[in-house]
Coordinates of all heavy atoms in Angstrom, one line a residue:
E296 N 10.7 -28.6 22.4 CA 10.0 -29.9 22.6 C 10.9 -31.0 22.2 O 11.7 -30.9 21.2 CB 8.7 -29.9 21.8 CG 7.7 -28.8 22.3 CD 6.5 -28.7 21.4 OE1 6.7 -28.5 20.1 OE2 5.4 -28.8 21.9
D297 N 10.9 -32.1 22.9 CA 11.7 -33.3 22.6 C 10.9 -34.6 22.5 O 11.4 -35.6 22.6 CB 12.8 -33.4 23.6 CG 12.3 -33.7 25.0 OD1 11.1 -33.8 25.2 OD2 13.1 -33.8 25.9
G298 N 9.6 -34.4 22.3 CA 8.7 -35.6 22.1 C 8.2 -36.1 23.4 O 7.3 -37.0 23.4
G299 N 8.6 -35.5 24.5 CA 8.0 -35.9 25.8 C 6.7 -35.2 26.1 O 6.2 -34.4 25.3
D300 N 6.1 -35.6 27.2 CA 4.7 -35.1 27.6 C 4.7 -33.6 28.0 O 3.7 -32.9 27.9 CB 4.1 -35.9 28.7 CG 3.8 -37.3 28.3 OD1 3.7 -37.5 27.0 OD2 3.7 -38.2 29.1
T301 N 5.9 -33.1 28.4 CA 6.0 -31.8 28.9 C 7.1 -31.1 28.1 O 7.9 -31.7 27.4 CB 6.4 -31.7 30.4 OG1 7.5 -32.5 30.6 CG2 5.2 -32.3 31.2
L302 N 7.1 -29.8 28.2 CA 8.1 -29.0 27.4 C 9.6 -29.3 28.0 O 9.7 -29.5 29.2 CB 7.9 -27.5 27.6 CG 6.6 -27.0 26.9 CD1 6.4 -25.5 27.3 CD2 6.6 -27.2 25.4
A303 N 10.5 -29.3 27.1 CA 11.9 -29.5 27.5 C 12.5 -28.3 28.0 O 13.4 -28.3 28.8 CB 12.7 -30.1 26.3
G304 N 12.1 -27.1 27.4 CA 12.7 -25.9 27.8 C 12.0 -24.7 27.2 O 11.1 -24.8 26.4
A305 N 12.4 -23.5 27.7 CA 11.7 -22.3 27.2 C 12.6 -21.1 27.5 O 13.5 -21.2 28.4 CB 10.4 -22.1 27.9
V306 N 12.4 -20.0 26.8 CA 13.2 -18.8 27.0 C 12.4 -17.6 26.5 O 11.6 -17.7 25.5 CB 14.6 -18.9 26.2 CG1 14.4 -18.9 24.7 CG2 15.5 -17.7 26.6
M307 N 12.5 -16.5 27.2 CA 11.8 -15.3 26.8 C 12.9 -14.4 26.1 O 14.0 -14.3 26.6 CB 11.3 -14.5 28.0 CG 10.5 -13.3 27.7 SD 10.0 -12.4 29.2 CE 8.7 -13.5 29.8
V308 N 12.5 -13.8 25.0 CA 13.5 -12.9 24.3 C 12.8 -11.7 23.8 O 11.6 -11.7 23.4 CB 14.2 -13.7 23.1 CG1 13.2 -14.2 22.1 CG2 15.2 -12.8 22.5
G309 N 13.5 -10.5 23.8 CA 12.9 -9.3 23.3 C 13.9 -8.4 22.8 O 15.1 -8.4 23.2
F310 N 13.5 -7.5 21.9 CA 14.4 -6.5 21.3 C 13.8 -5.1 21.6 O 12.7 -4.8 21.3 CB 14.4 -6.7 19.8 CG 15.3 -5.8 19.0 CD1 16.5 -5.3 19.5 CD2 15.0 -5.3 17.7 CE1 17.3 -4.4 18.8 CE2 15.8 -4.5 17.0 CZ 17.0 -4.0 17.6
D311 N 14.7 -4.3 22.3 CA 14.2 -3.0 22.7 C 14.5 -1.9 21.7 O 14.3 -0.7 21.9 CB 14.7 -2.6 24.1 CG 16.2 -2.5 24.2 OD1 16.9 -2.4 23.1 OD2 16.8 -2.5 25.3
G312 N 15.0 -2.3 20.5 CA 15.3 -1.4 19.5 C 16.8 -1.1 19.5 O 17.3 -0.5 18.5
H313 N 17.5 -1.5 20.5 CA 19.0 -1.2 20.6 C 19.7 -2.5 21.0 O 20.7 -2.9 20.3 CB 19.3 -0.2 21.7 CG 20.7 0.2 21.8 ND1 21.4 0.7 20.7 CD2 21.6 0.2 22.8 CE1 22.7 1.0 21.1 NE2 22.8 0.7 22.4
R314 N 19.2 -3.2 21.9 CA 19.8 -4.5 22.4 C 18.7 -5.5 22.5 O 17.6 -5.2 22.8 CB 20.5 -4.3 23.7 CG 21.7 -3.4 23.7 CD 22.9 -3.9 23.0 NE 24.0 -3.1 23.0 CZ 24.6 -2.5 22.0 NH1 24.0 -2.6 20.8 NH2 25.7 -1.7 22.1
G315 N 19.2 -6.8 22.4 CA 18.3 -7.9 22.6 C 18.5 -8.4 24.0 O 19.6 -8.6 24.4
W316 N 17.4 -8.7 24.7 CA 17.5 -9.2 26.1 C 16.8 -10.6 26.2 O 15.8 -10.9 25.6 CB 16.8 -8.2 27.0 CG 17.6 -7.0 27.2 CD1 17.6 -5.9 26.5 CD2 18.6 -6.8 28.2 NE1 18.5 -5.0 26.9 CE2 19.2 -5.5 28.0 CE3 19.2 -7.6 29.2 CZ2 20.2 -5.0 28.8 CZ3 20.2 -7.1 30.0 CH2 20.7 -5.8 29.8
V317 N 17.5 -11.4 27.0 CA 17.0 -12.8 27.3 C 16.6 -12.9 28.7 O 17.4 -12.4 29.6 CB 18.1 -13.8 26.9 CG1 17.7 -15.2 27.3 CG2 18.3 -13.8 25.4
Y318 N 15.5 -13.5 29.0 CA 15.0 -13.8 30.4 C 14.5 -15.2 30.4 O 14.1 -15.8 29.4 CB 13.9 -12.8 30.7 CG 14.3 -11.4 30.7 CD1 14.0 -10.6 29.6 CD2 14.9 -10.7 31.8 CE1 14.4 -9.3 29.5 CE2 15.2 -9.4 31.8 CZ 15.0 -8.7 30.6 OH 15.3 -7.3 30.6
Y319 N 14.4 -15.7 31.7 CA 13.6 -17.0 31.9 C 14.1 -18.1 31.0 O 13.3 -18.9 30.5 CB 12.2 -16.8 31.6 CG 11.3 -16.1 32.7 CD1 10.7 -14.8 32.5 CD2 11.1 -16.7 33.9 CE1 9.9 -14.2 33.4 CE2 10.3 -16.1 34.9 CZ 9.7 -14.9 34.6 OH 8.9 -14.3 35.6
L320 N 15.4 -18.2 30.8 CA 15.9 -19.4 30.1 C 15.9 -20.6 31.1 O 16.6 -20.5 32.2 CB 17.4 -19.2 29.6 CG 18.0 -20.5 29.1 CD1 17.4 -20.9 27.8 CD2 19.5 -20.3 28.9
G321 N 15.2 -21.6 30.8 CA 15.2 -22.8 31.6 C 15.0 -24.1 30.9 O 14.3 -24.1 29.9
V322 N 15.7 -25.1 31.3 CA 15.5 -26.5 30.8 C 15.0 -27.3 31.9 O 15.4 -27.2 33.1 CB 16.9 -27.0 30.3 CG1 16.8 -28.4 29.8 CG2 17.4 -26.1 29.1
A323 N 14.1 -28.2 31.6 CA 13.5 -29.1 32.6 C 14.5 -29.9 33.3 O 15.4 -30.5 32.7 CB 12.4 -30.0 32.0
P324 N 14.4 -30.0 34.6 CA 15.3 -30.9 35.4 C 15.2 -32.3 34.8 O 14.1 -32.7 34.5 CB 14.8 -30.8 36.8 CG 14.1 -29.5 36.9 CD 13.5 -29.3 35.5
G325 N 16.2 -33.0 34.7 CA 16.2 -34.3 34.1 C 16.4 -34.3 32.6 O 16.7 -35.3 32.0
R326 N 16.3 -33.1 32.0 CA 16.6 -32.9 30.6 C 17.8 -32.0 30.3 O 18.1 -31.6 29.2 CB 15.4 -32.4 29.8 CG 14.4 -33.6 29.5 CD 13.0 -33.1 29.8 NE 12.1 -33.3 28.8 CZ 10.8 -33.2 28.9 NH1 10.3 -32.9 30.0 NH2 10.0 -33.4 27.8
Q327 N 18.4 -31.6 31.4 CA 19.5 -30.7 31.3 C 20.8 -31.4 30.9 O 20.8 -32.7 30.9 CB 19.8 -29.9 32.6 CG 18.6 -29.1 33.0 CD 18.7 -28.4 34.4 OE1 19.7 -28.5 35.1 NE2 17.7 -27.6 34.8
Q328 N 21.8 -30.7 30.4 CA 23.1 -31.3 29.9 C 22.9 -32.1 28.7 O 23.6 -33.0 28.4 CB 23.7 -32.1 31.0 CG 23.9 -31.4 32.4 CD 25.0 -30.3 32.2 OE1 25.9 -30.3 31.4 NE2 24.9 -29.2 33.1
Q329 N 21.9 -31.8 27.9 CA 21.6 -32.5 26.6 C 21.6 -31.6 25.4 O 21.1 -32.0 24.4 CB 20.3 -33.4 26.7 CG 20.4 -34.4 27.8 CD 19.0 -35.1 28.1 OE1 18.2 -35.2 27.2 NE2 18.8 -35.4 29.3
G330 N 22.0 -30.4 25.6 CA 22.1 -29.4 24.5 C 20.8 -28.6 24.3 O 20.8 -27.7 23.4
T331 N 19.8 -28.7 25.1 CA 18.6 -27.9 25.0 C 18.8 -26.5 25.3 O 18.3 -25.6 24.5 CB 17.5 -28.5 25.8 OG1 17.3 -29.9 25.5 CG2 16.2 -27.8 25.6
G332 N 19.6 -26.2 26.3 CA 19.8 -24.8 26.6 C 20.6 -24.1 25.5 O 20.3 -23.0 25.1
R333 N 21.6 -24.8 25.0 CA 22.3 -24.2 23.8 C 21.4 -24.0 22.7 O 21.4 -22.9 22.0 CB 23.4 -25.2 23.4 CG 24.2 -24.7 22.2 CD 25.2 -25.8 21.8 NE 26.4 -25.9 22.6 CZ 27.5 -25.2 22.5 NH1 27.5 -24.2 21.7 NH2 28.5 -25.4 23.3
S334 N 20.5 -24.9 22.4 CA 19.6 -24.8 21.2 C 18.6 -23.6 21.4 O 18.3 -22.8 20.5 CB 18.7 -26.0 21.0 OG 19.6 -27.1 20.7
L335 N 18.1 -23.4 22.7 CA 17.3 -22.3 23.0 C 18.0 -21.0 22.8 O 17.4 -20.0 22.3 CB 16.7 -22.4 24.4 CG 15.5 -23.4 24.5 CD1 15.3 -23.8 26.0 CD2 14.2 -22.8 23.9
M336 N 19.2 -20.9 23.3 CA 20.0 -19.6 23.1 C 20.3 -19.3 21.6 O 20.2 -18.2 21.2 CB 21.3 -19.7 23.9 CG 21.1 -19.5 25.4 SD 20.2 -17.9 25.8 CE 21.5 -16.7 25.4
T337 N 20.6 -20.4 20.8 CA 20.7 -20.2 19.4 C 19.5 -19.7 18.8 O 19.5 -18.8 17.9 CB 21.2 -21.5 18.7 OG1 22.4 -21.9 19.3 CG2 21.3 -21.4 17.2
A338 N 18.3 -20.2 19.2 CA 17.0 -19.8 18.6 C 16.8 -18.3 19.0 O 16.2 -17.6 18.2 CB 15.9 -20.7 19.2
A339 N 17.1 -18.0 20.2 CA 17.0 -16.6 20.6 C 17.9 -15.6 19.8 O 17.4 -14.6 19.4 CB 17.3 -16.4 22.1
E340 N 19.1 -16.1 19.5 CA 20.0 -15.3 18.7 C 19.4 -15.1 17.3 O 19.5 -14.0 16.7 CB 21.4 -16.0 18.7 CG 22.1 -15.9 20.0 CD 23.4 -16.8 20.0 OE1 23.7 -17.4 18.9 OE2 24.0 -17.0 21.1
V341 N 18.9 -16.2 16.7 CA 18.4 -16.2 15.4 C 17.2 -15.2 15.3 O 17.0 -14.4 14.4 CB 18.0 -17.6 14.9 CG1 17.2 -17.6 13.6 CG2 19.3 -18.4 14.7
W342 N 16.3 -15.3 16.4 CA 15.1 -14.5 16.5 C 15.5 -13.0 16.5 O 14.9 -12.2 15.8 CB 14.3 -14.8 17.7 CG 13.0 -14.2 17.8 CD1 11.8 -14.7 17.4 CD2 12.6 -12.9 18.4 NE1 10.7 -13.9 17.7 CE2 11.3 -12.7 18.3 CE3 13.4 -11.9 19.0 CZ2 10.6 -11.6 18.7 CZ3 12.8 -10.8 19.4 CH2 11.4 -10.6 19.3
L343 N 16.6 -12.7 17.2 CA 17.1 -11.3 17.3 C 17.7 -10.9 16.0 O 17.5 -9.7 15.5 CB 18.0 -11.1 18.5 CG 17.3 -11.2 19.8 CD1 18.4 -11.4 21.0 CD2 16.4 -10.0 20.1
Q344 N 18.6 -11.8 15.4 CA 19.2 -11.4 14.2 C 18.2 -11.1 13.1 O 18.5 -10.2 12.2 CB 20.2 -12.6 13.8 CG 21.4 -12.6 14.6 CD 22.3 -13.9 14.3 OE1 21.7 -14.9 14.1 NE2 23.6 -13.8 14.4
A345 N 17.1 -11.8 13.1 CA 16.1 -11.6 12.0 C 15.5 -10.2 12.2 O 14.8 -9.7 11.2 CB 15.0 -12.7 12.2
R346 N 15.7 -9.5 13.3 CA 15.2 -8.2 13.5 C 16.3 -7.2 13.5 O 16.2 -6.0 14.0 CB 14.4 -8.2 14.9 CG 13.1 -8.9 14.7 CD 12.6 -9.5 16.0 NE 11.3 -10.2 15.8 CZ 11.2 -11.4 15.3 NH1 12.3 -12.1 15.0 NH2 10.1 -12.0 15.0
D347 N 17.5 -7.6 13.0 CA 18.6 -6.7 12.9 C 19.2 -6.2 14.2 O 19.8 -5.1 14.3 CB 18.3 -5.5 12.0 CG 18.1 -5.9 10.5 OD1 18.7 -6.9 10.1 OD2 17.4 -5.2 9.8
C348 N 18.9 -7.0 15.2 CA 19.4 -6.7 16.6 C 21.0 -6.9 16.6 O 21.4 -8.0 16.3 CB 18.7 -7.5 17.6 SG 19.4 -7.3 19.3
P349 N 21.8 -5.9 17.0 CA 23.2 -6.1 16.9 C 23.9 -6.8 18.1 O 25.0 -7.3 18.0 CB 23.8 -4.7 16.8 CG 22.7 -3.9 17.5 CD 21.4 -4.5 17.3
K350 N 23.1 -6.9 19.3 CA 23.8 -7.5 20.4 C 22.8 -8.1 21.4 O 21.7 -7.6 21.6 CB 24.6 -6.4 21.2 CG 25.4 -7.0 22.4 CD 26.2 -5.9 23.0 CE 27.1 -6.5 24.1 NZ 27.9 -5.4 24.9
I351 N 23.1 -9.3 21.9 CA 22.2 -10.0 22.8 C 22.8 -9.9 24.2 O 24.0 -10.0 24.4 CB 22.1 -11.5 22.4 CG1 21.1 -12.2 23.3 CG2 23.4 -12.2 22.3 CD1 20.7 -13.6 22.7
M352 N 22.0 -9.7 25.2 CA 22.4 -9.5 26.6 C 21.4 -10.2 27.6 O 20.3 -10.5 27.2 CB 22.5 -8.0 26.9 CG 23.5 -7.3 26.0 SD 23.5 -5.5 26.4 CE 24.4 -5.5 27.9
F353 N 21.9 -10.4 28.7 CA 21.1 -11.0 29.8 C 21.7 -10.8 31.1 O 22.9 -10.4 31.2 CB 20.8 -12.5 29.6 CG 22.0 -13.3 29.2 CD1 22.9 -13.7 30.2 CD2 22.4 -13.5 27.9 CE1 24.0 -14.4 29.9 CE2 23.5 -14.2 27.6 CZ 24.4 -14.6 28.6
M354 N 21.0 -11.0 32.2 CA 21.6 -10.8 33.5 C 21.7 -12.2 34.2 O 20.7 -13.0 34.0 CB 20.7 -9.9 34.3 CG 20.7 -8.5 33.8 SD 19.5 -7.4 34.7 CE 18.0 -7.9 33.9
V355 N 22.7 -12.5 34.8 CA 23.0 -13.7 35.6 C 23.5 -13.2 37.0 O 24.3 -12.4 37.1 CB 24.0 -14.6 35.0 CG1 24.1 -15.9 35.7 CG2 23.8 -14.8 33.5
R356 N 23.0 -13.8 38.0 CA 23.5 -13.5 39.4 C 25.0 -13.8 39.4 O 25.4 -14.9 38.9 CB 22.7 -14.3 40.4 CG 21.3 -13.7 40.6 CD 20.5 -14.4 41.7 NE 19.2 -13.8 41.7 CZ 18.9 -12.6 42.3 NH1 19.8 -11.9 42.8 NH2 17.6 -12.2 42.2
T357 N 25.7 -12.9 40.1 CA 27.2 -13.1 40.1 C 27.6 -14.4 40.7 O 28.5 -15.1 40.3 CB 27.8 -12.0 41.0 OG1 27.1 -10.8 40.7 CG2 29.2 -11.8 40.7
D358 N 26.8 -14.9 41.7 CA 27.2 -16.2 42.4 C 26.6 -17.4 41.7 O 26.8 -18.5 42.2 CB 26.8 -16.1 43.9 CG 25.3 -15.9 44.1 OD1 24.6 -15.9 43.0 OD2 24.8 -15.9 45.2
N359 N 26.0 -17.2 40.6 CA 25.4 -18.4 39.9 C 26.5 -19.0 38.9 O 26.4 -18.9 37.7 CB 24.1 -18.0 39.1 CG 23.4 -19.2 38.5 OD1 23.9 -20.3 38.6 ND2 22.2 -19.0 38.1
L360 N 27.5 -19.6 39.5 CA 28.6 -20.0 38.7 C 28.3 -21.1 37.7 O 28.9 -21.1 36.6 CB 29.8 -20.5 39.7 CG 30.3 -19.4 40.6 CD1 31.4 -19.9 41.5 CD2 30.8 -18.2 39.9
P361 N 27.4 -22.1 38.0 CA 27.1 -23.1 37.0 C 26.5 -22.5 35.7 O 26.9 -22.9 34.6 CB 26.1 -24.0 37.7 CG 26.4 -23.9 39.1 CD 26.8 -22.4 39.3
T362 N 25.6 -21.5 35.9 CA 25.0 -20.9 34.8 C 26.0 -20.0 34.0 O 26.0 -20.0 32.8 CB 23.7 -20.1 35.2 OG1 22.8 -21.0 35.8 CG2 23.1 -19.4 34.0
R363 N 26.8 -19.4 34.7 CA 27.9 -18.6 34.1 C 28.8 -19.5 33.2 O 29.2 -19.1 32.2 CB 28.7 -17.8 35.1 CG 27.8 -16.6 35.7 CD 28.5 -15.9 36.8 NE 29.7 -15.2 36.3 CZ 30.5 -14.6 37.1 NH1 30.3 -14.5 38.4 NH2 31.6 -14.0 36.6
A364 N 29.1 -20.7 33.8 CA 29.9 -21.6 33.0 C 29.2 -22.1 31.7 O 29.8 -22.3 30.7 CB 30.3 -22.8 33.9
F365 N 27.9 -22.3 31.9 CA 27.1 -22.7 30.7 C 27.2 -21.6 29.6 O 27.5 -21.9 28.4 CB 25.6 -22.9 31.1 CG 24.6 -22.7 30.0 CD1 24.4 -23.7 29.0 CD2 23.8 -21.6 29.9 CE1 23.5 -23.6 28.0 CE2 22.9 -21.4 28.9 CZ 22.7 -22.4 27.9
Y366 N 27.0 -20.3 30.0 CA 27.0 -19.2 29.0 C 28.5 -19.1 28.4 O 28.6 -18.8 27.3 CB 26.6 -17.9 29.6 CG 25.1 -17.8 29.8 CD1 24.5 -17.6 31.0 CD2 24.2 -17.9 28.7 CE1 23.1 -17.6 31.2 CE2 22.9 -17.9 28.8 CZ 22.3 -17.7 30.1 OH 20.9 -17.6 30.2

Side-chain angles (χ1 to χ4, degrees):
E296 296 173 303
D297 62 3
D300 292 340
T301 55
L302 293 173
V306 64
M307 181 185 291
V308 58
F310 181 35
D311 63 17
H313 183 58
R314 297 290 184 244
W316 285 90
V317 170
Y318 300 93
Y319 281 114
L320 171 69
V322 174
R326 280 134 126 168
Q327 296 177 0
Q328 305 291 332
Q329 297 170 33
T331 303
R333 180 188 284 277
S334 297
L335 281 163
M336 284 303 293
T337 300
E340 291 170 5
V341 168
W342 190 92
L343 289 168
Q344 284 170 325
R346 287 154 182 80
D347 293 330
C348 174
K350 186 176 183 184
I351 182 170
M352 301 178 72
F353 46 83
M354 292 175 279
V355 188
R356 289 185 181 280
T357 320
D358 60 0
N359 190 349
L360 298 180
T362 298
R363 289 175 62 185
F365 158 75
Y366 284 121

